[in-house]
Amino acid sequence: MDYVSFWPRGNGNPTIEELLSNRGGVTNYDSCSSWATGRDNYLASNPHTYHATNALSVFRNCPQYAAGTYFYSTFGFNLAGAAMDKAGKDAGWGDFETMALALADSFNMSSFELDRRNNEPALQTDGFYTKQNGSIENIENEEDVIYKVPGGGFRSNIKDITRFFRAMINQDVLTDSLWV
């Protein structure tokens, strides 16, 4: 992880493969009592804005695990995104958001965008859940989710998501050489 040299090395030096397969030693929400404070501080400083390095502050003070052990983590994707952001800038390709939008454009994903919650389309659908009494409730989600990028915090329609997964299956996005 040469591109995120500022990241604490207490859990070893996770590879991109480990981060993208939830084996990078990075914790998740339920294992970190301070993540919400980190999120609130990030959003106060970066409202509706994605900044790869600053977004790591959301979980910087959370416990880490040994790299190589499976542990689901949105934040592992955030760390991989920060590495991609730095590598992209160094290579002259732009920041993570520029590269993500260029990738989406290359697969004709015209609806793909970062979910800033300040530009919600009229037909935005939020989730639903079943209460203990069996009734179904709509989840009113006004939370700014930009801090989750690239582990989440994107928005797209089903046709474009299908295009993306087809590209993944055909190895047009990730190839075996990425893991080396």
Side-chain angles (χ1 to χ4, degrees):
M1 294 300 296
D2 294 334
Y3 287 104
V4 288
S5 58
F6 49 83
W7 185 253
R9 297 286 193 235
N11 67 334
N13 196 12
T15 65
I16 294 294
E17 179 181 12
E18 287 172 327
L19 291 171
L20 296 180
S21 62
N22 293 300
R23 294 179 293 116
V26 180
T27 193
N28 205 36
Y29 309 102
D30 58 357
S31 301
C32 179
S33 59
S34 65
W35 80 268
T37 301
R39 175 204 58 205
D40 294 345
N41 291 339
Y42 174 80
L43 292 174
S45 301
N46 306 274
H48 310 301
T49 305
Y50 173 65
H51 186 280
T53 304
N54 292 354
L56 300 181
S57 65
V58 172
F59 61 98
R60 179 181 303 281
N61 297 320
C62 296
Q64 304 302 306
Y65 300 90
T69 304
Y70 178 83
F71 188 83
Y72 175 81
S73 174
T74 298
F75 299 138
F77 288 88
N78 293 39
L79 185 55
M84 292 171 61
D85 185 80
K86 176 85 169 74
K89 289 175 182 172
D90 289 355
W93 299 335
D95 61 11
F96 178 83
E97 182 174 0
T98 301
M99 290 186 295
L101 294 174
L103 179 68
D105 189 52
S106 72
F107 293 113
N108 259 351
M109 296 171 58
S110 59
S111 69
F112 180 85
E113 63 184 355
L114 273 65
D115 188 352
R116 292 185 161 82
R117 292 290 168 167
N118 64 337
N119 61 346
E120 290 209 31
L123 299 176
Q124 171 78 26
T125 301
D126 288 320
F128 294 87
Y129 67 99
T130 304
K131 294 177 75 169
Q132 286 184 339
N133 67 7
S135 66
I136 297 174
E137 296 286 329
N138 180 279
I139 299 171
E140 298 283 336
N141 190 355
E142 298 300 323
E143 177 187 9
D144 186 348
V145 293
I146 199 73
Y147 69 92
K148 294 181 182 184
V149 172
F154 295 105
R155 179 170 48 209
S156 194
N157 67 31
I158 193 67
K159 288 181 181 179
D160 286 350
I161 294 293
T162 302
R163 285 184 186 102
F164 178 73
F165 282 112
R166 260 194 216 128
M168 292 288 288
I169 290 167
N170 294 333
Q171 292 191 343
D172 294 334
V173 178
L174 298 176
T175 63
D176 290 340
S177 65
L178 174 71
W179 308 119
V180 177

